[in-house]
Amino acid sequence: MTEVRKPLIAANWKMYKGPRETRDFVGRFAGLYPPRTDRTIVFFPPAISIPAFLDATVGRPDLQVGVQDVHADLEGAHTGAISAPMAAETGVGWGLAGHSERRSEFGDDDADVAGKLRRLLDAGLKPILCVGETLEERTAGRLEEVLRRQIEAALGGLGGRRWSPPVLAYEPVWAIGTGETASPADASEAHAIVREVRLEAPGDAARVVILYGGSVKPDNIDALLGARGVDGVLVGGASLEPASFARICDGRFDPQLL
Ligand code: PGA
């Protein structure tokens, strides 16, 4: 029997919510969003708030948690950084790699992202590889080339490791935190490119899971989650408020619309 397709809905809290606000959010969110077996929900709080998140969700194992970033080294003199094994030891199950803010603010290049992806896998975590073009690149007609470069570079670092199913987030940089959203048609187009690049890659042929990210809100979630090829969403700003994120987690999804 083939498994029913479930959407993956992820909250990227960035540098918002310390332990106290994390506990407060979970308490309120849990009251608004009862467990559902037909979707997967993952939160990415700041690393320092992960123990508080785990504490607050003891009765809600459906609310999963991940780390926003790890270093590409296993240990070393890297002040402020954390490694993938350290993150795994805290009890998280997931990790982001290649978020555009890491690329633009912290200078992560394709080689760093490849290293982080590899470390997440080695630590037994489920990575979400973030890719996406800037407005300049899109306007210059370079969407496909940029996505291809980012994905191939990250896959190139895997050295035969198994990544199944691969989970990627297509996040156009011009839509992140701007209130601009890709249209459902634009999202479908980009997701088709991501899917094709990944399918051409060697190794596992499991169906790629592709999230859309960039100004996802309660009022556009149904349209975006309903777009062909969209398997879920990665949400920043609109995940910070319990009612807003609960509405997003209840977004309409058609498992048949591949
Ligand atoms: P946004 O952020 O929803 O605030 O645009 C998305 C992201 O950066 O993952």
Side-chain angles (χ1 to χ4, degrees), residues 192-211:
I193 295 172
V194 172
R195 206 172 294 284
E196 190 195 315
V197 177
R198 169 62 210 188
L199 287 176
E200 286 170 2
D204 200 279
R207 190 172 181 279
V208 191
V209 174
I210 309 173
L211 317 181

Side-chain angles (χ1 to χ4, degrees), residues 5-89:
R5 194 170 152 250
K6 290 189 197 190
L8 170 53
I9 298 174
N12 175 13
W13 283 356
K14 311 189 179 187
M15 200 175 74
Y16 293 97
K17 299 192 192 298
R20 185 168 36 79
E21 280 184 83
T22 295
R23 274 188 218 98
D24 180 57
F25 177 99
V26 172
R28 294 199 287 144
F29 179 78
L32 295 168
Y33 181 80
R36 291 180 64 156
T37 53
D38 63 344
R39 44 205 61 203
T40 303
I41 311 292
V42 187
F43 288 85
F44 293 89
I48 203 149
S49 299
I50 287 170
F53 186 94
L54 287 165
D55 249 18
T57 53
V58 163
R60 287 295 301 268
D62 59 308
L63 306 180
Q64 301 183 38
V65 64
V67 63
Q68 292 176 14
D69 184 58
V70 293
H71 199 280
D73 285 349
L74 283 176
E75 60 181 5
H78 305 303
T79 302
I82 55 174
S83 71
M86 288 173 195
E89 205 181 315

Side-chain angles (χ1 to χ4, degrees), residues 150-258:
Q150 291 176 339
I151 298 167
E152 284 173 353
L155 293 175
L158 291 188
R161 286 169 180 77
R162 198 174 136 76
W163 182 24
S164 180
V167 184
L168 291 91
Y170 166 64
E171 299 204 298
V173 177
W174 48 270
I176 295 179
T178 59
E180 295 269 340
T181 316
S183 67
D186 284 345
S188 293
E189 184 201 358
H191 284 214
I193 295 172
V194 172
R195 206 172 294 284
E196 190 195 315
V197 177
R198 169 62 210 188
L199 287 176
E200 286 170 2
D204 200 279
R207 190 172 181 279
V208 191
V209 174
I210 309 173
L211 317 181
Y212 167 79
S215 297
V216 174
K217 306 269 183 261
D219 64 7
N220 60 27
I221 182 63
D222 292 337
L224 287 165
L225 213 46
R228 191 171 295 279
V230 173
D231 302 304
V233 286
L234 179 55
V235 189
S239 72
L240 294 171
E241 205 277 308
S244 155
F245 192 57
R247 168 65 186 92
I248 289 172
C249 290
D250 279 323
R252 217 173 307 130
F253 183 75
D254 176 359
Q256 310 297 336
L257 188 74
L258 284 171

Side-chain angles (χ1 to χ4, degrees), residues 126-143:
K126 296 185 189 123
I128 300 180
L129 171 66
C130 304
V131 297
E133 83 290 4
T134 62
L135 186 57
E136 212 178 17
E137 290 163 339
R138 168 169 278 260
T139 314
R142 296 179 50 214
L143 172 67

